[in-house]
Amino acid sequence: MNETTDTAHSVTEAAHHVVVESTNTFRIWFKSFLTWDNLFKLISALVVLLILWIVYRLIMRAVRKIRNDKMTPQRYMLIKKIFNYAFYIIIVMYILSMFGIKLSAVWGAAGIAGVALGFAAQTSVSNLISGIFVLGEGIMKVGDLITVGGETGTVDSVGLLSVKIHTPNNQLVRVPNSSIINSNLINTSFFSQRRLTIAVSVSYDTDMQTALDTLKKAPALCPTILTDPAPAAWFDGFGESGINLTLAVWFNKTDFLAAKNETFVAIKKVFDEAHISIPYNKLDVSIVERSANN
């Protein structure tokens, strides 16, 4: 029993001795750190960090003010990310230099790491670089109707890696930025006005000039159709079942469905009033009666 007690007492004394030595070591280090030189370095570092933070906030405030006047949300996001990354990189570099770490060694390690990451994530890097070009060009914005890679939808977000759209069937489609750069993109909403062309045919027994003049009356019956640019109609060839004509009308991009429906209704109405028939494919069936002897 006495041996067990002595052993426990020895362990306790050893632990206490270790704690005391560690505390003394920390005190010695802390006292050596608390010098006037280190204090001035700490104060100057805090002052520099404060100045950098104030400059960063002033720049971001100026960028937000420009955004409200002339900048699109996509370009604002790109500039904001660039300033954010630049600010944090400067802060990290400054703190590392305070601790005596050579920046040349850091840049060398960063270069090696960058090469390794580049081989490991070529697709992501490609999308990132492509995203910078997409945001910089300003070829689309949130709410635009685009077609790319066989997909058509409304833009929900434009990021550094991808563009997210939702189709007319309300399906989410993620389009990598590299696909946008490497393929043809159609932005239906880029301009404020759009043109709609509708092909129509009339029978061969219709007077051609009458048919053309009648077709030109249709746009006047459509409230959403613009008069500037003016609508246009022309002959487009002789088809198998009739004479082909084309009507082209302009409208504001927000009135697409209304303009399309109104134009089709108006064409049918003016043709009916002028007694002009729109031909359609017919199938003639002949029934031949045969005698019972045959």
Side-chain angles (χ1 to χ4, degrees):
M1 189 70 177
N2 292 333
E3 291 180 359
T4 303
T5 302
D6 292 340
T7 302
H9 182 69
S10 299
V11 170
T12 302
E13 287 185 351
H16 178 71
H17 180 71
V18 170
V19 170
V20 171
E21 285 188 354
S22 300
T23 303
N24 292 333
T25 303
F26 176 77
R27 287 177 179 176
I28 294 172
W29 174 84
F30 189 72
K31 287 181 179 180
S32 64
F33 180 78
L34 285 178
T35 62
W36 287 107
D37 184 49
N38 289 337
L39 182 61
F40 286 133
K41 285 183 179 180
L42 179 61
I43 294 175
S44 62
L46 293 176
V47 171
V48 170
L49 293 176
L50 179 61
I51 293 174
L52 290 174
W53 174 255
I54 293 174
V55 171
Y56 168 74
R57 298 303 298 176
L58 291 175
I59 293 175
M60 294 309 300
R61 182 179 298 179
V63 170
R64 280 195 297 269
K65 190 173 294 185
I66 297 174
R67 172 200 177 187
N68 296 332
D69 297 336
K70 302 177 181 178
M71 196 179 301
T72 63
Q74 287 73 31
R75 290 189 177 181
Y76 169 74
M77 185 181 71
L78 175 62
I79 294 175
K80 181 181 178 181
K81 287 183 178 295
I82 291 174
F83 278 113
N84 282 340
Y85 294 149
F87 173 74
Y88 290 120
I89 290 174
I90 292 173
I91 293 298
V92 171
M93 293 294 106
Y94 179 73
I95 293 176
L96 291 177
S97 64
M98 285 180 53
F99 286 94
I101 299 176
K102 295 182 179 180
L103 297 182
S104 58
V106 175
W107 287 118
I112 297 173
V115 172
L117 290 175
F119 283 109
Q122 292 183 9
T123 302
S124 298
V125 173
S126 175
N127 288 329
L128 180 62
I129 296 174
S130 300
I132 295 175
F133 285 108
V134 169
L135 291 169
E137 286 182 334
I139 57 177
M140 74 183 80
K141 62 182 183 298
V142 174
D144 284 353
L145 180 66
I146 65 170
T147 300
V148 59
E151 298 289 347
T152 299
T154 304
V155 178
D156 291 329
S157 66
V158 181
L160 287 176
L161 294 178
S162 65
V163 173
K164 295 181 178 64
I165 64 175
H166 69 270
T167 66
N169 295 329
N170 206 32
Q171 295 174 321
L172 174 66
V173 179
R174 179 183 178 274
V175 183
N177 286 328
S178 58
S179 299
I180 295 176
I181 293 296
N182 296 324
S183 62
N184 294 330
L185 179 141
I186 300 174
N187 188 342
T188 307
S189 305
F190 190 82
F191 300 104
S192 60
Q193 296 176 350
R194 292 181 56 184
R195 193 180 79 159
L196 172 68
T197 57
I198 298 177
V200 61
S201 296
V202 297
S203 61
Y204 274 104
D205 58 0
T206 305
D207 181 76
M208 293 181 64
Q209 189 60 49
T210 301
L212 185 62
D213 294 339
T214 302
L215 185 61
K216 290 180 179 179
K217 296 177 182 178
L221 304 178
C222 307
T224 57
I225 299 303
L226 301 175
T227 57
D228 185 20
W234 60 86
F235 291 106
D236 202 23
F238 298 102
E240 295 181 357
S241 302
I243 304 171
N244 299 327
L245 297 94
T246 299
L247 176 66
V249 294
W250 291 85
F251 56 92
N252 293 322
K253 64 182 181 181
T254 55
D255 297 330
F256 172 70
L257 288 179
K260 189 173 184 178
N261 291 333
E262 290 174 1
T263 306
F264 273 97
V265 172
I267 292 173
K268 183 65 166 59
K269 183 177 181 179
V270 295
F271 276 6
D272 288 344
E273 292 177 351
H275 304 288
I276 297 175
S277 61
I278 299 176
Y280 55 91
N281 293 329
K282 300 177 181 179
L283 178 64
D284 293 330
V285 180
S286 300
I287 300 176
V288 179
E289 294 183 1
R290 297 185 178 182
S291 62
N293 293 332
N294 294 334

